[in-house]
Amino acid sequence: MNGAAGLAAKLRRIRALVRKESFQIVRDPSSMIIGVLMPVMLILLFGFALSLDVTSVPVAVVLEDPSPAATDLAAGFRLSPYFNAHYTTSMETARAMMLDLKVDGIIRIRPDFARQLALGDAEVQIVVHGSDANRARLIEAYAQGAIAQWSARRASAGQPVTTGPVAVQSRIWFNEANDSHWFLVPGLIVMVMTLIGAFLTTMVMAREWERGTLEALFVTPVRVDEILWSKTLPYFALGMVGLSLCFLAAKFLFFVPFRGSLWVLTGASMLYLLVALGIGLFISSAVKSQLAASQLTLVATYLPALMLSGFIFDLRSTPLAVQAIADVFPARYFVSLLQTVFLAGDIWPVVLPEAGILLGMVVALVAANRFVTRKTLA
Amino acid sequence: MSPPGVRVPAVAADGLRRTFRRDTGEIVVALDGVTLRAEAGSLTALVGPDGAGKTTFLRLVAGLMAPDAGTMTVLGIDVAREPQRIQDRIGYMPQRFGLYEDLTVQENLDLYADLHGVSAADKRRQYPRLMEMTALGPFTGRLSGNLSGGMKQKLGLACALVREPELLLLDEPTAGVDPLSRQELWQIILHLVAEQRTTVMVSTAYLDEAERCGRAVVLHQGKILTQGAPDEIARLADGKVFLADPPAGQTARGLQAHLLGAQAIVDAVPEGGRVRFIRDGAADARVDALAQVAVAPAQPRFEDGFMTLLRRAGDSRPASVVTLDKPPERQGDGVVVEVRDLVRMFGNFAAVDHVSFEVRRGELFGLLGPNGAGKTTTFRMLCGLLPVTGGTLRVAGVDLRRARASARQRIGYLAQRFSLYGDLSVVENLEFFASAYGLRGGRKRARIDWALRQFELGDLARLPSRHLPGGYKQRLAMAAALLHEPALLFLDEPTSGADPLARREFWQRINALTEQGVTAIVTTHFMEEAEYCDRVAILDAGRILAQGTPAEVRAHARRQEGREATMEDAFIAIVEEARAHGHPEAGAA
Amino acid sequence: MSQPLVDSLWRILALVQKELLAVLKDRKSRFSLMVPPILQILIFGYAATYDLNYVPYAVLDQDRGAASRELLAQFDGTGIFQRVANLDNASEIGKTIDDQTALVVIQIGQDFSRNLALGRPADVQLIADGRNSNTAAIASGYVATIVDAFNAQWPANHGQTGPPVATAMRAWFNPELETRWHMIPSIIGTIVMMMTMNLSAMSVARERENGTFDQLLVTPFRPAEIMIGKAVPAMFLGLTQSTMILLVAQLWFRIPFQGSVLTLYAGLALFLIAAVGVGLFVSSIAATMQQAMIYIFVVIMPFALLSGLTTPIDNMPLAFQYLTLINPLRYAIIIAQRVYLEGAGIGLLIPDLWPMAIIAAVTLSAATWMFRHKVA
């Protein structure tokens, strides 16, 4: 067989297998659940349900000083979009509300507030429910902000300056509105790609081993690389559909800005998808039962993508050992790429190294899969 | 490569050895020093009990495995070195057919045609031929998962044949397939060999199929016992095979059980109301069991030669006869199971279509029919596992689906597949089922001891049951179903997938139980096993086509040339007649 | 006790024993029950935190005066802020943030020291990388805290009057505001839920697939007995896993425990019944293990995301907040946190206990019904 005819035959076989795979995706309910239903569900959850932003926090404002200055300060909390203030004059009432989880914080203005203010030594007490520390810290910052605004209003009205000498003017780049969807929604793409790339391919490949269909397939002119191609291409396409869905949702449903270029996003996603596919195929060749293979895939891809990718929790603050574990999984590189491409733009010093690592993983996985997948039965 | 002009054998195996490691760490020898050759254009059968190494051998031919030692040369090519070159040229149908169930018949065919590089012109030429051969023409648009067992198997064969392979390997192609489909499949195979000079190698558990082949290879525990023309192998039993007429007052299976227990008898099976038996070497030795019996010599068949060989190889005679501690009382012959106009629909499809029969106390009743005939569905309704769509049924006077749980105390159920807990050991399984049936304390211990003893499971008591050899799994399942001494046994395809030895062992046990007063209902798709039953009903496409004693049912078929009509002839005659009267095959509906 | 009841209890006992044997006999399955939860709590215990203990920052100090040095010394003294670059002009800020060299840049203007010395307000600019806006907000909060402290100190040290309004901050139940104190009690429920639901989702589906379920149904077992016999071992294993995770939380992470162990276990037990109920229900409708696995995955994922673990329930739109009412994990997390941090007694927890009882009752009875009525 000469080279050209061989290649033509090869392409024909790949086309036949890809067709078969596509029919199966459409007809098998589990493929549809993982490949279509779950991504849509994730988009809805991430876009609508999950938010780390703090708005309308219920707080109790305890006004123990009836002076105009104190009342004015207390009123400031009603103006803040971050708070939903309940007014009371008794600390006891506030304490009870906090214990019942009716409020998450208490702003206490003491009886001698006006007098102390005149002396230049007034104090406002902020008490927060510390069980959710992240939220508590944000509440504290917003309360300080509300007090600072009140000071500014007083200053512009000709009263003496009442805050400290140094003021921080902070700007959060890439996310001026400080909207948590802006970083949660790109993270969504990681989840969807992981599901389709790794979880779905693991299941379909292990299914062929389990049902014995590979045995018949092996005794044909089909080559191993052709089987691998046929397991890659349709799911790659499905993954790209998932990417487009997420991208459209991000842009037109959740209004996340997109500052990079589309082709960098596509390229990075393709790389990650290939890594995920590679891991999926590798696991299912090594562990040939559907159940064991998919459980392993969940542990090896999905959980790290959720917890160890830096997509919700910042990796910089974890111990070195945990960082080392996170480094092994591809998700963190992809998260970094996505956050950069979406919010910051094509920042080459970030894009190139992360993409390089993903590319390295692709190469390693292709080699590993060629080695592990053989046309032999155990 | 051999020089042109010299005929190379299609398959040449030399000193093949192949071992496997179980997860328990022990090494199992699947093939041990196997040497054989199959000439081009020949039809070779691989026969042997479960675990003899048939599947392993075919996989080695197909290049799916490499041998530990020895060489395998196929079409002149060393398989271990160049498996792909073999796989480019042969057709292979694995035991599970290798079909994609969510693809249609046409899509499956197209897939394999494209993989084999069949050109569009060849497809146009091949497809009509394959469709005609397999009669799948009207079903090209159907998902192959929705085909009947026989049609799946024919599609599997068609997929292996799309490219007209030089060598065709078939691994137990007829397991669990009805007699009609079996017949059709063999016509296709014989046609291929005769017309297209295709070399075919087929493994089978049906010994009568081996008779159709040019050569048979008998494998046993990984070694070749013998190989040669089937009639040569049959001749091993020359002069030792006889037919006995049971004396008045004794049934054929009664005499058969008696004979199997006797000295100097190699094998005995009921056949057409008589008993076919093989005597041991010394043909003149006195056999007490035959004292009162009229005996006539018979022409040996392949099966007789095969059994003689296995006995010689030292496979112990199935001696196990179960004795119950407390046989159920045999009072009268009241109706134990009564089924009237039973209907079960799945959507628009009637899986069971107005079935009626009754079973009396102490009777062994057989439900016969191909896969998909509705046997298992009927069973599941009888056991209360599935609600009925119409009709009535009574088991020991109650409908088990509505009766109190304690009513189930009276029945034992042996499911089609081994369905005990594979992770648990033999004894743990028995303990669990004993407790499930309310046995406690001394009684429980006594019953478990009984089961271990009766079924010779004592040595394996601590082994996780999934590691049991096939025949022992079946024994354990039966032991678990008998712990609570049920008066009524439901046995769903207990012999499906079992080899000839295991099947004899099983029937011997059932025989012994019914002798002691247990009522049993058995389903099977081995037609000749009907001979073991008191009465049988033949099911096809959800309907009962005939019922009565084996002799009555057999009377439906005309005498075949030179021999008595068998149950299989009767089945084919009955089904063909029914279909001619306008009851289409279930799969064709 | 009446005889049928005794018989029934014996049967249940046999099933419980069989279920436990099947899981615990095999070394591999023992391993997969015990080791992953511990690994998960260790890894997630460290990873699931919003606290920052490493903030790389860059400085553009255009003042280079005593006051600016004093302020920057405060940053360097925290141990959290690590100075990675000293910038010379504003054009370098962009690159430093873009390529993630620094998470924040602090820019101190030319007349910072002079303004301070004159008692005039002085500004500090803070630029944070908002790609993870939560991290950015937290880092800005840290900066504000440091500057606050500086504001309180500086005037006093330089003979000026302090700021007239100071804020005094107190956090109840978690004085240091460590996210770990919040996360670890929540993770206990999450990990145990994933393991328990998975296990119970497989239990009936596995028996259906292996044909043993039919075998069980033809014995005198009643569906309710099967349900109890399946639920009890799963709960027992769940409680064992919870105990191991709790031990890690106490002995390794040393999360302060204010409440009573009994209350916590009461809540966990009820939670586990609800989780097992969901698992068994999914198992009872699945025909194969593969289906069971996919279904339970489709259930677990929104349960985990909509539980308040990663993002607060209060932040969700109202529709989703209602949806969380059927999520047992939501209640488990609240209970664990309140018992752990507030020392809440059983009385305070009743509003979170009864919904789980209802979830358990509904799912378990549905599963029991399905055992016999699912047409395979």
Side-chain angles (χ1 to χ4, degrees):
Chain A
M1 209 185 285
N2 65 45
L7 187 65
K10 195 176 192 67
L11 290 177
R12 237 168 80 117
R13 290 193 293 262
I14 292 176
R15 202 185 57 201
L17 286 172
V18 167
R19 249 167 62 97
K20 172 219 111 184
E21 207 67 38
S22 315
F23 285 138
Q24 285 188 301
I25 293 177
V26 178
R27 287 176 196 161
D28 179 36
S30 54
S31 304
M32 291 310 273
I33 290 178
I34 298 174
V36 180
L37 179 75
M38 297 279 289
V40 170
M41 198 164 100
L42 280 169
I43 288 176
L44 293 178
L45 284 177
F46 274 72
F48 291 117
L50 301 190
S51 162
L52 285 165
D53 304 327
V54 173
T55 53
S56 313
V57 181
V59 289
V61 177
V62 183
L63 191 56
E64 293 171 333
D65 177 6
S67 71
T71 317
D72 189 37
L73 171 61
F77 282 87
R78 186 174 284 146
L79 298 174
S80 163
Y82 301 115
F83 296 108
N84 178 10
H86 300 270
Y87 291 95
T88 171
T89 51
S90 139
M91 189 60 193
E92 276 318 299
T93 316
R95 182 189 298 272
M97 287 170 90
M98 181 105 122
L99 287 178
D100 283 351
L101 300 180
K102 296 241 167 56
V103 295
D104 289 345
I106 301 173
I107 314 296
R108 185 181 188 183
I109 303 169
R110 292 180 172 281
D112 53 355
F113 177 77
R115 201 160 45 86
Q116 296 284 346
L117 185 65
L119 294 175
D121 192 19
E123 188 187 78
V124 175
Q125 198 182 5
I126 304 168
V127 183
V128 290
H129 197 291
S131 65
D132 184 341
N134 190 45
R135 191 174 163 84
R137 208 173 276 130
L138 292 173
I139 293 171
E140 180 199 352
Y142 293 142
Q144 284 171 345
I147 295 169
Q149 275 188 355
W150 169 75
S151 302
R153 277 204 315 276
R154 275 173 68 90
S156 63
Q159 310 268 10
V161 179
T162 51
T163 45
V166 179
V168 179
Q169 297 182 340
S170 74
R171 282 170 55 208
I172 295 184
W173 276 14
F174 313 130
N175 192 352
E176 287 77 8
N178 197 2
D179 181 342
S180 66
H181 285 119
W182 287 20
F183 80 92
L184 285 174
V185 169
L188 173 68
I189 297 176
V190 185
M191 300 277 99
V192 169
M193 295 272 149
T194 308
L195 265 183
I196 296 176
F199 195 54
L200 188 53
T201 31
T202 311
M203 293 239 313
V204 295
M205 188 73 180
R207 183 174 61 195
E208 293 229 21
W209 282 107
E210 210 166 84
R211 293 191 185 161
T213 42
L214 275 184
E215 190 176 344
L217 212 57
F218 281 170
V219 189
T220 65
V222 153
R223 309 311 200 248
V224 172
D225 61 313
E226 294 160 12
I227 294 178
L228 291 175
W229 273 114
S230 76
K231 287 286 171 202
T232 308
L233 293 173
Y235 299 98
F236 190 80
L238 196 60
M240 284 334 240
V241 172
L243 173 72
S244 327
L245 268 182
C246 293
F247 180 76
L248 293 176
K251 211 162 160 58
F252 300 109
L253 215 50
F254 309 122
F255 307 108
V256 177
F258 183 69
R259 296 179 178 131
S261 48
L262 207 52
W263 72 269
V264 177
L265 173 73
T266 314
S269 305
M270 284 164 88
L271 276 178
Y272 180 73
L273 197 52
L274 283 176
V275 176
L277 281 161
I279 295 177
L281 289 176
F282 184 83
I283 290 177
S284 54
S285 294
V287 183
K288 286 169 182 140
S289 103
Q290 277 188 78
L291 199 66
S294 40
Q295 302 263 17
L296 197 59
T297 312
L298 274 188
V299 173
T301 61
Y302 192 76
L303 285 178
L306 192 65
M307 303 292 285
L308 291 177
S309 63
F311 130 63
I312 297 180
F313 304 109
D314 204 286
L315 277 175
R316 277 175 287 226
S317 298
T318 56
L320 279 178
V322 176
Q323 291 190 38
I325 295 172
D327 282 347
V328 176
F329 297 107
R332 67 162 299 179
Y333 307 104
F334 188 42
V335 165
S336 162
L337 275 168
L338 283 173
Q339 288 180 346
T340 299
V341 173
F342 261 91
L343 300 178
D346 298 342
I347 312 292
W348 298 113
V350 177
V351 171
L352 291 179
E354 313 281 38
I357 293 173
L358 287 180
L359 186 66
M361 288 183 166
V362 172
V363 172
L365 282 163
V366 167
N369 273 313
R370 280 308 304 261
F371 182 76
V372 174
T373 318
R374 281 161 191 267
K375 282 173 77 172
T376 50
L377 303 170
Chain B
M1 285 251 93
S2 53
V6 176
R7 269 179 69 95
V8 273
V11 177
D14 209 353
L16 276 189
R17 182 183 165 82
R18 170 76 203 200
T19 56
F20 295 99
R21 177 188 284 274
R22 284 222 184 104
D23 11 327
T24 49
E26 62 182 308
I27 303 284
V28 184
V29 181
L31 286 177
D32 189 7
V34 168
T35 300
L36 70 82
R37 49 190 52 218
E39 299 307 327
S42 68
L43 170 56
T44 309
L46 295 174
V47 292
D50 269 0
K54 306 189 290 286
T55 297
T56 307
F57 184 81
L58 288 178
R59 286 177 172 174
L60 283 167
V61 177
L64 289 170
M65 286 176 181
D68 296 344
T71 55
M72 171 72 87
T73 315
V74 177
L75 306 171
I77 301 162
D78 182 350
V79 182
R81 206 169 306 146
E82 295 176 282
Q84 188 61 64
R85 281 186 60 202
I86 303 296
Q87 289 158 359
D88 288 351
R89 291 167 63 182
I90 65 174
Y92 171 62
M93 178 162 122
Q95 238 172 65
R96 289 189 283 172
F97 312 142
L99 298 174
Y100 289 96
E101 305 228 319
D102 32 20
L103 258 53
T104 64
V105 169
Q106 187 64 51
E107 286 160 0
N108 266 298
L109 264 182
D110 286 342
L111 171 67
Y112 281 96
D114 289 337
L115 292 183
H116 281 291
V118 178
S119 68
D122 281 344
K123 273 190 209 169
R124 273 195 297 280
R125 193 172 52 80
Q126 276 282 53
Y127 280 0
R129 202 176 60 85
L130 287 172
M131 286 299 146
E132 192 209 314
M133 195 161 84
T134 56
L136 285 171
F139 310 113
T140 47
R142 187 179 287 193
L143 291 186
S144 67
N146 297 341
L147 295 176
S148 71
M151 286 157 85
K152 273 185 196 161
Q153 158 246 36
K154 280 186 280 191
L155 176 58
L157 185 62
C159 288
L161 290 174
V162 276
R163 56 146 326 149
E164 303 187 296
E166 291 160 72
L167 169 65
L168 178 63
L169 305 172
L170 304 169
D171 193 2
E172 303 222 4
T174 52
V177 166
D178 69 275
L180 275 172
S181 306
R182 222 147 64 82
Q183 206 175 35
E184 289 162 6
L185 183 93
W186 273 96
Q187 275 157 7
I188 300 174
I189 296 174
L190 294 172
H191 176 85
L192 280 175
V193 177
E195 305 287 315
Q196 299 184 17
R197 307 279 306 140
T198 311
T199 315
V200 180
M201 195 171 253
V202 54
S203 76
T204 178
Y206 289 90
L207 297 173
D208 58 327
E209 290 180 353
E211 281 177 35
R212 302 171 184 249
C213 300
R215 273 171 67 79
V217 178
V218 180
L219 281 165
H220 179 60
Q221 295 178 352
K223 293 197 172 77
I224 292 183
L225 284 185
T226 190
Q227 48 183 319
D231 49 348
E232 276 171 42
I233 295 172
R235 240 173 278 139
L236 291 170
D238 236 356
K240 299 175 191 164
V241 183
F242 300 90
L243 280 170
D245 279 306
Q250 194 175 22
T251 57
R253 68 184 164 103
L255 175 61
Q256 178 253 352
H258 204 68
L259 282 175
L260 266 186
Q263 286 292 315
I265 299 287
V266 172
D267 185 35
V269 284
E271 183 187 297
R274 303 203 281 180
V275 177
R276 184 186 187 92
F277 68 94
I278 310 170
R279 300 191 63 152
D280 214 348
D284 51 343
R286 238 182 77 82
V287 176
D288 292 333
L290 289 172
Q292 311 277 302
V293 180
V295 167
Q299 190 65 32
R301 295 184 306 214
F302 177 78
E303 182 168 353
D304 302 319
F306 176 82
M307 292 306 293
T308 313
L309 268 172
L310 282 193
R311 288 281 174 264
R312 231 186 260 164
D315 237 9
S316 68
R317 159 202 305 270
S320 30
V321 171
V322 182
T323 327
L324 289 176
D325 276 359
K326 195 179 69 192
E329 290 163 35
R330 274 194 108 162
Q331 23 169 293
D333 57 350
V335 175
V336 181
V337 175
E338 188 184 6
V339 175
R340 288 266 160 279
D341 284 323
L342 193 62
V343 178
R344 174 70 215 189
M345 307 291 295
F346 290 111
N348 285 328
F349 167 67
V352 173
D353 190 3
H354 296 281
V355 161
S356 303
F357 61 85
E358 50 188 46
V359 182
R360 296 176 173 277
R361 199 180 303 279
E363 220 175 14
L364 175 49
F365 185 81
L367 276 175
L368 269 72
N371 288 346
K375 304 188 301 285
T376 298
T377 309
T378 307
F379 249 56
R380 290 172 57 80
M381 287 190 282
L382 284 175
C383 297
L385 292 172
L386 196 67
V388 302
T389 309
T392 56
L393 54 80
R394 286 256 164 288
V395 173
V398 295
D399 177 348
L400 283 179
R401 195 163 174 81
R402 294 196 204 102
R404 288 153 47 95
S406 56
R408 294 195 288 270
Q409 190 80 34
R410 274 172 267 172
I411 64 161
Y413 172 70
L414 191 62
Q416 190 168 354
R417 292 180 301 149
F418 174 71
S419 49
L420 300 183
Y421 299 100
D423 305 327
L424 302 190
S425 72
V426 168
V427 90
E428 285 160 353
N429 266 299
L430 291 175
E431 275 172 355
F432 172 67
F433 281 100
S435 304
Y437 281 106
L439 300 176
R440 296 202 282 277
R443 180 93 192 106
K444 177 171 155 184
R445 270 196 305 281
R447 289 303 296 165
I448 291 171
D449 285 345
W450 170 87
L452 291 176
R453 206 173 50 245
Q454 290 282 327
F455 291 88
E456 294 159 40
L457 289 163
D459 298 340
L460 303 165
R462 303 270 149 224
L463 194 70
S465 62
R466 86 185 112 98
H467 291 308
L468 286 174
Y472 282 88
K473 276 187 184 159
Q474 150 71 255
R475 286 190 200 177
L476 173 60
M478 203 150 150
L482 288 171
L483 279 171
H484 59 298
E485 296 164 287
L488 177 57
L489 267 182
F490 289 95
L491 306 150
D492 193 6
E493 303 253 359
T495 52
S496 174
D499 63 67
L501 291 175
R503 280 162 51 192
R504 278 171 175 71
E505 189 188 341
F506 166 81
W507 283 107
Q508 210 178 351
R509 287 212 170 86
I510 289 300
N511 230 328
L513 286 170
T514 50
E515 292 288 314
Q516 292 167 72
V518 174
T519 310
I521 305 185
V522 184
T523 67
T524 176
H525 59 250
F526 288 104
M527 294 302 143
E528 71 271 21
E529 292 185 347
E531 301 284 358
Y532 290 102
C533 301
D534 290 313
R535 285 195 310 121
V536 295
I538 287 191
L539 246 78
D540 186 44
R543 310 164 67 94
I544 289 194
L545 299 183
Q547 77 176 297
T549 63
E552 286 164 5
V553 173
R554 232 183 298 115
H556 284 267
R558 269 162 278 107
R559 221 183 119 82
Q560 301 287 309
E561 59 286 348
R563 61 182 173 88
E564 293 289 334
T566 62
M567 196 55 83
E568 188 153 334
D569 300 327
F571 177 86
I572 291 172
I574 290 165
V575 171
E576 278 178 344
E577 192 193 0
R579 287 183 190 167
H581 283 78
H583 301 308
E585 190 191 350
Chain C
M1 261 195 289
S2 66
Q3 191 56 37
L5 189 59
V6 175
D7 286 344
S8 180
L9 285 177
W10 275 103
R11 280 196 293 268
I12 293 173
L13 190 69
L15 190 55
V16 170
Q17 195 185 358
K18 179 228 109 187
E19 293 281 322
L20 286 177
L21 250 181
V23 177
L24 296 178
K25 225 186 125 180
D26 182 33
R27 251 189 60 209
K28 253 193 247 161
S29 98
R30 269 203 311 266
F31 179 86
S32 70
L33 276 178
M34 301 301 152
V35 177
I38 293 186
L39 280 181
Q40 282 176 26
I41 185 80
L42 282 175
I43 293 179
F44 299 155
Y46 281 116
T49 173
Y50 291 116
D51 299 336
L52 302 177
N53 51 32
Y54 171 61
V55 179
Y57 82 112
V59 173
L60 176 57
D61 184 358
Q62 291 161 324
D63 177 54
R64 293 179 196 275
S68 73
R69 271 200 303 279
E70 202 174 321
L71 176 62
L72 289 174
Q74 300 260 355
F75 280 93
D76 293 328
T78 56
I80 294 172
F81 284 83
Q82 301 279 335
R83 203 186 304 189
V84 290
N86 288 307
L87 308 181
D88 294 323
N89 62 62
S91 61
E92 291 171 67
I93 296 175
K95 187 185 168 303
T96 316
I97 293 280
D98 282 351
D99 62 14
Q100 297 175 341
T101 310
L103 180 63
V104 293
V105 174
I106 290 166
Q107 183 183 2
I108 300 174
Q110 275 174 3
D111 37 13
F112 181 78
S113 296
R114 197 154 51 91
N115 281 342
L116 272 184
L118 295 174
R120 288 206 298 249
D123 280 351
V124 170
Q125 308 279 336
L126 167 73
I127 297 114
D129 178 355
R131 270 168 274 196
N132 185 329
S133 58
N134 193 51
T135 306
I138 296 166
S140 317
Y142 285 10
V143 171
T145 312
I146 292 169
V147 171
D148 258 6
F150 178 81
N151 278 345
Q153 263 172 37
W154 205 86
N157 292 349
H158 295 82
Q160 299 180 359
T161 50
V165 180
T167 50
M169 163 77 180
R170 274 203 303 144
W172 285 0
F173 313 123
N174 188 356
E176 300 296 316
L177 282 182
E178 286 201 48
T179 14
R180 193 166 288 149
W181 288 19
H182 157 67
M183 279 294 173
I184 286 187
S186 318
I187 289 177
I188 297 172
T190 312
I191 294 177
V192 177
M193 180 185 78
M194 289 200 280
M195 307 285 295
T196 315
M197 275 195 184
N198 231 322
L199 195 72
S200 45
M202 291 302 144
S203 73
V204 179
R206 174 182 294 120
E207 294 222 23
R208 276 232 170 84
E209 195 166 304
N210 293 341
T212 49
F213 204 65
D214 278 358
Q215 199 75 51
L216 213 55
L217 287 177
V218 298
T219 64
F221 270 111
R222 274 184 278 264
E225 293 167 3
I226 298 179
M227 186 273 286
I228 298 173
K230 293 252 166 212
V232 169
M235 266 189 69
F236 170 78
L237 292 171
L239 281 175
T240 313
Q241 289 178 334
S242 314
T243 308
M244 291 184 326
I245 299 174
L246 281 169
L247 286 175
V248 174
Q250 292 316 112
L251 302 177
W252 184 261
F253 289 112
R254 305 207 172 260
I255 309 296
F257 189 86
Q258 304 292 344
S260 100
V261 179
L262 214 62
T263 313
L264 183 62
Y265 269 82
L268 274 176
L270 201 53
F271 165 63
L272 282 170
I273 300 180
V276 168
V278 174
L280 282 181
F281 176 67
V282 166
S283 202
S284 72
I285 57 174
T288 62
M289 284 194 272
Q290 193 213 359
Q291 277 182 13
M293 199 193 71
I294 291 172
Y295 295 168
I296 203 68
F297 185 57
V298 172
V299 171
I300 286 180
M301 205 191 53
F303 273 13
L305 288 176
L306 295 177
S307 63
L309 171 72
T310 45
T311 68
I313 291 177
D314 294 341
N315 287 6
M316 295 171 192
L318 214 54
F320 282 97
Q321 291 198 28
Y322 284 125
L323 213 60
T324 64
L325 293 177
I326 58 161
N327 181 358
L329 186 57
R330 171 209 160 110
Y331 305 105
I333 286 180
I334 295 178
I335 290 172
Q337 283 181 0
R338 300 199 69 182
V339 174
Y340 247 95
L341 302 177
E342 294 174 36
I346 209 117
L348 268 180
L349 299 175
I350 284 176
D352 295 303
L353 290 169
W354 66 260
M356 293 197 295
I358 289 182
I359 295 169
V362 170
T363 50
L364 286 173
S365 15
T368 309
W369 191 84
M370 283 304 291
F371 283 169
R372 237 176 212 292
H373 291 84
K374 155 117 188 144
V375 177

